[in-house]
Amino acid sequence: MGQAGSSVSLTIAAQHIFDGIGMRGPGSVRISQGRIENVILGEAGARTSIHLPREAILAPGFIDTQVNGGGGVLLNDHPAEVGVRRIVEAHRKAGTTGCLPTLITDRSEVIERLAAVAQACLTIPGVLGFHLEGPALNRSRKGIHPESEIRVPDRRDIAAIKSFGCCGRSIVTLAPECVPASMIDELIAAGLRVAAGHSDATAAEIGKAIDRGVSGVTHLFNAMSQLSAREPGLVGAALEDDRLFAGIICDGIHVDRAGLCVAFRCKGRDRLMLVTDAMPLVGTNARQFMLQGRQITLHENRLTGPGGTLAGAHLTMIEAVRNAVSLLGISLADALIMASRTPAAFLGLASELGRIAPGYRADLVAFNPNFEVIGTWIGGVGSMNETSEAFHRG
């Protein structure tokens, strides 16, 4: 993943530790060389480096596979190291320790600009790869994507997109019915994960795409063919086929509570992933921004463009976890798995991330019962939120 771990050793003590499987504690997590060396249950010893507040919960850091922007930056407008850094730093404050900065449908030059800096961006703490959402989408399900730039990628586009295959764990979202089947094969052979989204495909078309290696669904229910009596569409295929991981925007706006519950009952915590689909206003006090020449406005936590079309989400991962618990009525453990262990599995990082266990990378988040993030660690390097509760260093 291109990120060097810290050479510093430390021990974090917490009364409540979610280790990726169940809630434990009290206990201590010993970190060395950026990885978890040991988890020791029982009250912490005198040499513990950090004592978290008594009510704090220590958990695997959140992994967000769809992050368009944050900290006032839209990736499409700033496809450079400084832009990527601003985005990941904004989301880290909300518990995200690993993410895929996401480029929505745009000109070939913009894809190439990001491709030129993608490898260098892997050294930024929290960058696991990139997500290219488009340009091979179905215009009938375009959402807020610019119709003028939606296209079947030509060889120039394909060359730029394929270069992300050796850049961490990157994803391409496309409409399978709009591209030659050989293109899916080519992208997967290059090392990319392919997700279906912004698609009007039939269930049969999705089934063939899954057989070719499509493994994900981008923002389930939104911008895709719906489930009906005689044509299950992409929604029906996603709910029925256990080979697919599905991201879902749990903000109470993009998907109704009942839809969220149906998705959870069908996919379960091991195939349903929390994503933010976040836009630049996360981490700022601004109420509007420009998206490819269109003004996007935030009102009552809803981002909309001209005509009322939803334009991404104003959401963080800690909020998504909180919403999953309150809207779905599921356990905190299930919500945390959907925010960490499941996306890690989707990205092929199940042996690296999503657990607090010996040998795993020390990517962690601490938060209180009010779902306020106290601090994060990426490869054992900590960052404490300025507004968080006090914690004690040993």
Side-chain angles (χ1 to χ4, degrees), residues 116-312:
V117 301
Q119 283 292 338
C121 288
L122 287 180
T123 64
I124 298 172
V127 176
L128 299 178
F130 289 88
H131 184 162
L132 304 178
E133 190 182 359
L137 309 181
N138 193 314
R139 287 186 173 87
S140 69
R141 299 287 183 173
K142 66 181 186 297
I144 200 66
H145 288 244
E147 185 171 356
S148 61
E149 299 299 339
I150 292 175
R151 62 194 182 277
V152 176
D154 59 19
R155 296 317 302 176
R156 175 183 176 184
D157 287 326
I158 288 291
I161 293 169
K162 285 172 61 177
S163 71
F164 288 90
C166 58
C167 181
R169 304 303 173 100
S170 294
I171 300 173
V172 176
T173 290
L174 51 75
E177 75 278 14
C178 294
V179 301
S182 59
M183 185 177 295
I184 295 174
D185 298 339
E186 189 174 357
L187 295 176
I188 292 174
L192 290 154
R193 279 167 174 74
V194 177
H198 291 272
S199 166
D200 206 33
T202 65
E205 288 171 327
I206 292 300
K208 291 178 181 178
I210 298 170
D211 290 341
R212 301 195 85 93
V214 169
S215 56
V217 175
T218 296
H219 47 52
L220 181 62
F221 291 110
N222 295 118
M224 62 183 60
S225 47
Q226 300 296 300
L227 170 64
S228 65
R230 286 173 293 281
E231 176 45 64
L234 176 48
V235 169
L239 295 177
E240 187 272 335
D241 200 313
D242 290 339
R243 291 175 292 176
L244 287 175
F245 289 83
I248 199 161
I249 307 169
C250 191
D251 61 356
I253 295 170
H254 281 75
V255 182
D256 182 81
R257 186 196 66 81
L260 292 169
C261 292
V262 168
F264 182 77
R265 289 178 185 178
C266 291
K267 301 301 293 179
R269 67 185 190 180
D270 293 325
R271 285 295 183 270
L272 193 64
M273 308 179 293
L274 298 178
V275 300
T276 65
D277 198 17
M279 285 298 198
L281 301 190
V282 166
T284 77
N285 294 319
R287 308 294 296 179
Q288 60 186 37
F289 68 98
M290 297 301 294
L291 174 65
Q292 297 167 318
R294 296 160 292 174
Q295 182 172 294
I296 308 300
T297 303
L298 176 64
H299 179 66
E300 294 181 347
N301 220 41
R302 181 189 297 262
L303 286 170
T304 55
T309 302
L310 285 173

Side-chain angles (χ1 to χ4, degrees), residues 45 60 184 201 280 319 369 385:
I184 295 174
E319 290 168 341
N385 285 358

Side-chain angles (χ1 to χ4, degrees), residues 326-343:
S326 62
L327 293 175
L328 281 76
I330 62 176
S331 68
L332 176 59
D334 285 345
L336 291 172
I337 287 171
M338 292 160 62
S340 58
R341 198 178 84 191
T342 302

